[in-house]
Amino acid sequence: MEKAEIFESMKKSIMEGNKAEAERLAQLSLDRGIDPKESISHGFTPGIQQVGQLWEEGEYFLPELVVSAETMKAAMKVLEKSLQESARYASIGKMVIGTVQGDIHDIGKSLVASIFSANGFEVVDLGMDVPIETFVHRAQEEKAQVIGMSALLTTTMVNQKKVIELLEQKGIRKNFKVIVGGAPISREWMQRIGADDASLDAFEAVAKVKQLLAREVLR
Ligand code: B12
């Protein structure tokens, strides 16, 4: 199988919600020495994006969405091990990440967590539906430099703002770099809520956070 064919089959496996096939392809890509980042960007993610599209068009229903989401997670799990192995040993920084309160979408968040971890960050994944206070409390407890917040619903994105407000209230906003993401998140939103950066791409997010931390050192 050619690389392009593998990517195409990966996409199909997510759309069909074929977990065994997705896992097999993930393993096959590793055996072939294909960079897991490529498999994520060109194979599996286009699959879940297409699922989202079909859902919006009314072609797919909730059960299909759930099965595709689970398939995506299963594939990520296979790739994750290899992503971790390629991680640098010295920690660049510590990040707490989670999906905000009221929101159970965790595929993007988990992807971001894996990619940060693969790039030498120590990542504490708080999971999904994370209460506002928990973000703040855990970030302090873990002495994290970075707080990452995911929101996929227009009704929950406001909780990103609430976390930042709580940091401000406690007078500890400056102790953290805050990066936000998720499908409805824009630069304009990021500026409005006073986050340090925003990204819709896990790989780009790593570069942005590295820049933010480097700037901090120079100050
Ligand atoms: C899969 C999915 C689900 C799954 C989630 C499973 C899971 N474990 O995550 C299930 C079926 C459970 C689900 C449920 C619901 N969903 Co849904 N879901 C989706 C879908 C199709 C794909 C989301 C996804 O995983 N994308 C793939 C990942 C990789 O992309 P991503 O999350 O955007 O992440 C990327 C970037 O945003 C960024 N990123 C993400 N997080 C972060 C964080 C940081 C810090 C950074 C830097 C970057 C970053 O990096 C990632 C990639 O590199 C979207 C459609 C869409 N277009 O997004 C709808 C969608 C998000 N869902 C939607 C809705 C309405 C719902 C429900 C309310 C449906 C219902 N009636 O019950 C419930 C909500 C439940 C809840 N309380 O949260 C709507 C939201 C509409 C809106 N405007 O608010 C969408 C947009 C579909 C639509 N068009 O109607 N959903």
Side-chain angles (χ1 to χ4, degrees):
M1 233 201 250
E2 296 277 323
K3 203 155 121 178
E5 267 179 88
I6 296 179
F7 292 155
E8 196 48 44
S9 305
M10 284 171 169
K11 180 178 169 187
K12 202 166 147 229
S13 71
I14 300 296
M15 292 176 65
E16 289 174 352
N18 188 339
K19 201 168 148 190
E21 176 68 356
E23 285 171 337
R24 187 188 73 79
L25 290 163
Q27 189 56 52
L28 175 75
S29 72
L30 294 178
D31 296 344
R32 292 276 181 90
I34 298 173
D35 186 342
K37 287 183 202 161
E38 274 195 78
S39 300
I40 294 169
S41 302
H42 304 307
F44 294 116
T45 302
I48 195 81
Q49 279 165 349
Q50 186 68 28
V51 169
Q53 188 68 34
L54 289 168
W55 196 46
E56 276 162 41
E57 287 164 11
E59 294 283 327
Y60 270 30
F61 297 98
L62 209 54
E64 281 129 336
L65 215 60
V66 174
V67 175
S68 289
E70 280 168 4
T71 306
M72 178 87 186
K73 279 191 180 178
M76 285 301 302
K77 203 159 186 157
V78 175
L79 295 178
E80 220 163 65
K81 227 182 117 236
S82 151
L83 281 171
Q84 311 291 355
E85 278 163 12
S86 68
R88 266 184 266 145
Y89 292 106
S91 167
I92 296 179
K94 198 169 191 181
M95 171 193 226
V96 295
I97 187 168
T99 305
V100 296
Q101 193 165 339
D103 202 325
I104 62 162
H105 293 89
D106 68 349
I107 297 175
K109 180 270 300 161
S110 302
L111 188 61
V112 173
S114 309
I115 306 297
F116 269 84
S117 171
N119 279 276
F121 283 81
E122 231 181 300
V123 179
V124 180
D125 190 339
L126 306 176
M128 58 185 162
D129 192 12
V130 178
I132 290 147
E133 300 74 24
T134 305
F135 271 108
V136 175
H137 170 70
R138 296 282 284 144
Q140 280 185 291
E141 193 176 70
E142 296 287 348
K143 298 191 172 58
Q145 287 90 43
V146 186
I147 300 176
M149 288 186 275
S150 183
L152 267 283
L153 298 169
T154 44
T155 49
T156 58
M157 46 196 279
V158 66
N159 289 329
Q160 295 181 335
K161 182 166 176 257
K162 288 187 181 161
V163 170
I164 294 175
E165 281 168 359
L166 185 58
L167 290 171
E168 271 159 8
Q169 258 175 42
K170 288 182 172 265
I172 53 170
R173 171 66 186 89
K174 286 203 173 70
N175 299 356
F176 307 99
K177 298 293 167 203
V178 178
I179 183 159
V180 291
I185 305 308
S186 62
R187 283 203 74 76
E188 198 241 324
W189 171 252
M190 162 214 121
Q191 279 160 356
R192 185 132 64 93
I193 66 174
D196 295 298
D197 222 323
S199 179
L200 292 187
D201 179 274
F203 300 103
E204 182 199 64
V206 169
K208 286 185 163 178
V209 168
K210 279 187 182 168
Q211 263 173 23
L212 286 172
L213 294 177
R215 239 175 272 154
E216 188 73 7
V217 173
L218 291 176
R219 261 207 282 157

